[in-house]
Amino acid sequence: MKRLLGAIRKADEEYKLIGAGEKIAVGVSGGKDSLALLLLLSAYRRFAPRPFSLCAITLKIGDPFDTAPIQSLCDQLEVPFHLEEMDLIDALRREKNPCSLCARLRRGTLDRAAAELGCTALALGHHREDAVETWLMSALSEGRFYHLAPKAQMERAGIQVIRPLIDVKEAAIADLCRRYHLPVIKNPCPVDGHTRRAEIKDLLADLEGRFPGAKEKLSAALKRERMGGDAHENGPTANPIGSGDGGNHLPQ
């Protein structure tokens, strides 16, 4: 916990993620990344250099998804919980690329809900591997690089999107969830694990096996590009809502 809280603080200082008095909505899918982010930001409130408040938003799109464990965790952490229900099934069935549409609709709903709750920022649980996967996927799918920005302005909603875990390893997040027995919910999406992002994840695992340290080096290269260029949040593969935990294929 201390090491990950240190990573949150470093990201906050390095990327200027959280301003004094901000109200931050955490997008909680029920997967490991978003639950870990919720736990860490809740703890970070106690010693952050600038005071801020939290709430949690969970989207339910008509699937068999029990949100009671998320509600219970929020109650324990004293974080207000908000549930947004959506009915996307019919629209997705008619779509040739349902993952892309689902991503846009879910992200738009999250942005709107956060703004309506008076939040100034929406925190998403993307981690180091998510960032590298998106970077590679955009290059292989579109012939250009997009990257997940640690902080980006959503003009339409009038809020910031922040990613405090952007430099944190996925394995560290998984370990935190195990140690604190967080109520991780299996992604109910029928195509979970059978998407382009899943293929990129397998590709990265293969690269790591062939070239030990590949993920670390790719992450370092991405960070250098990120720090030296503008944030790109408008590409088709760079508009994720969740991460490796639930909705990652959209592409936390």
Side-chain angles (χ1 to χ4, degrees), residues 160-215:
Q160 300 272 0
V161 166
I162 61 173
R163 297 181 170 96
L165 301 178
I166 195 73
D167 294 324
V168 174
K169 296 179 181 179
E170 183 177 12
I173 293 171
D175 182 61
L176 179 77
C177 290
R178 286 191 294 268
R179 286 189 290 112
Y180 284 84
H181 306 289
L182 296 183
V184 177
I185 299 171
K186 185 182 183 303
N187 184 5
C189 176
V191 298
D192 182 42
H194 304 282
T195 62
R196 179 58 58 85
R197 179 168 285 264
E199 293 176 0
I200 295 294
K201 186 179 287 288
D202 290 342
L203 174 61
L204 273 175
D206 183 59
L207 284 173
E208 185 70 24
R210 291 168 178 262
F211 305 97
K215 289 183 182 180

Side-chain angles (χ1 to χ4, degrees), residues 19 48 84 87 94 100 144 148 157 159 190 207 214 219 234 241 252:
E84 287 283 324
D87 186 4
R94 297 191 298 268
S100 178
R144 59 188 300 183
L148 300 179
I159 62 172
L207 284 173
S219 178
N234 300 316
I241 176 178
Q252 157 338 337

Side-chain angles (χ1 to χ4, degrees), residues 48-118:
R50 293 165 295 279
F52 65 93
S53 60
L54 283 178
C55 68
I57 303 176
T58 294
L59 301 183
K60 187 173 182 180
I61 62 172
D63 41 40
F65 178 28
D66 182 11
T67 61
I70 301 175
Q71 171 81 70
S72 177
L73 178 63
C74 287
D75 290 344
Q76 293 175 41
L77 298 176
E78 298 182 344
V79 174
F81 173 73
H82 301 274
L83 180 65
E84 287 283 324
E85 298 201 33
M86 306 172 63
D87 186 4
L88 301 180
I89 304 302
D90 289 339
L92 296 180
R93 283 174 178 166
R94 297 191 298 268
E95 186 71 16
K96 289 184 178 180
N97 186 0
C99 292
S100 178
L101 175 63
C102 186
R104 293 195 302 272
L105 294 177
R106 286 164 60 99
R107 177 60 179 275
T109 300
L110 263 184
D111 288 349
R112 175 189 55 76
E116 289 178 354
L117 290 169

Side-chain angles (χ1 to χ4, degrees), residues 5-6 8-14 16-22 41 43-52:
L5 284 173
I8 292 275
R9 181 161 192 165
K10 180 180 179 183
D12 184 15
E13 294 175 350
E14 187 169 10
K16 298 179 174 57
L17 298 183
I18 301 173
E22 288 210 72
L41 284 179
Y44 185 54
R45 288 181 297 182
R46 304 189 186 100
F47 66 90
R50 293 165 295 279
F52 65 93

